[in-house]
Amino acid sequence: MSNNHLKFYINGQWVDPVKPATIDVVNPATEEVYTKIAAGSAADVDKAVAAGRAAFPGFSQTKKAERVALLKKIIASFEKRAEDLAQALSQEMGAPIGLARSSQVWAGKAHLESTLKALEQMEFEEQRGITRVVREAIGVVGLITPWNWPLNQISCKVGPAIAAGCTMILKPSEVAPISGLIFSEIM
């Protein structure tokens, strides 16, 4: 496992923030700072949005089968990183490790699997009488997740965005950010 706590994942690579600044991450069970993360600025957001916009035309045109394959790869990588995710959730939320493993990591994976199943059944084009209905990606989506059940919220948002063909900017909670960083490494 790498430590990308002081970087952002933008345009497929880990980059330093435009303006270096950090935020302490506190384990609420011990009330101790256990790591620091990079604090983003408007310039970092602008870079991420520009990357999302640049990637959107190509990603939005991927075929359903390509998105299905991508979600399957993400789920496989998620499974390989399950213990890393559980440890992060335990530290950032103060959750008992058993709960982090059995409920929080499980819920994140279950949402990705449900999204995959829905995508496999989804028809993006259909004929309704003389009308053709086409479902298209909407654009770059901004995903903001809360501190409580962070991995669940990330999976509930990232999975459907991928299924729809949207690129995204994910802003995890600064209180519980490490599961989001690991999720980015999975990506």
Side-chain angles (χ1 to χ4, degrees):
M1 176 172 80
S2 62
N3 184 336
N4 291 307
H5 296 189
L6 299 177
K7 295 184 179 284
F8 298 120
Y9 189 67
I10 299 175
N11 200 25
Q13 57 188 327
W14 291 98
V15 298
D16 292 323
V18 174
K19 298 177 184 176
T22 61
I23 299 171
D24 291 341
V25 182
V26 176
N27 179 331
T30 64
E31 297 183 354
E32 294 178 6
V33 173
Y34 74 94
T35 193
K36 293 181 181 294
I37 59 166
S41 67
D44 295 305
V45 173
D46 290 345
K47 279 178 60 175
V49 170
R53 283 187 181 143
F56 178 73
F59 188 68
S60 67
Q61 297 304 306
T62 57
K63 303 291 184 206
K64 175 179 156 178
E66 293 173 280
R67 295 182 209 158
V68 165
L70 178 57
L71 280 172
K72 286 179 179 180
K73 286 175 67 174
I74 291 167
I75 291 167
S77 293
F78 187 99
E79 289 170 345
K80 290 177 185 169
R81 297 293 303 270
E83 184 59 23
D84 293 335
L85 288 163
Q87 293 295 328
L89 289 160
S90 181
Q91 289 183 315
E92 68 189 13
M93 295 183 65
I97 191 64
L99 178 68
R101 286 180 183 128
S102 67
S103 296
Q104 294 174 336
V105 173
W106 173 86
K109 181 180 172 216
H111 285 297
L112 290 171
E113 290 171 336
S114 294
T115 300
L116 172 61
K117 183 177 179 182
L119 176 58
E120 289 173 329
Q121 297 170 0
M122 178 68 145
E123 293 300 328
F124 285 88
E125 293 186 26
E126 66 179 282
Q127 195 69 33
R128 292 186 186 171
I130 60 168
T131 303
R132 182 121 189 110
V133 176
V134 178
R135 293 172 182 87
E136 299 177 322
I138 194 165
V140 181
V141 294
L143 310 175
I144 300 172
T145 58
W147 67 269
N148 58 332
W149 288 78
L151 186 59
N152 174 65
Q153 296 300 310
I154 290 168
S155 294
C156 283
K157 295 176 181 191
V158 171
I162 290 169
C166 295
T167 54
M168 68 210 78
I169 311 305
L170 171 65
K171 191 273 180 203
S173 168
E174 69 281 2
V175 176
I178 306 305
S179 58
L181 283 167
I182 294 170
F183 196 93
S184 296
E185 291 172 353
I186 289 168
M187 299 307 288

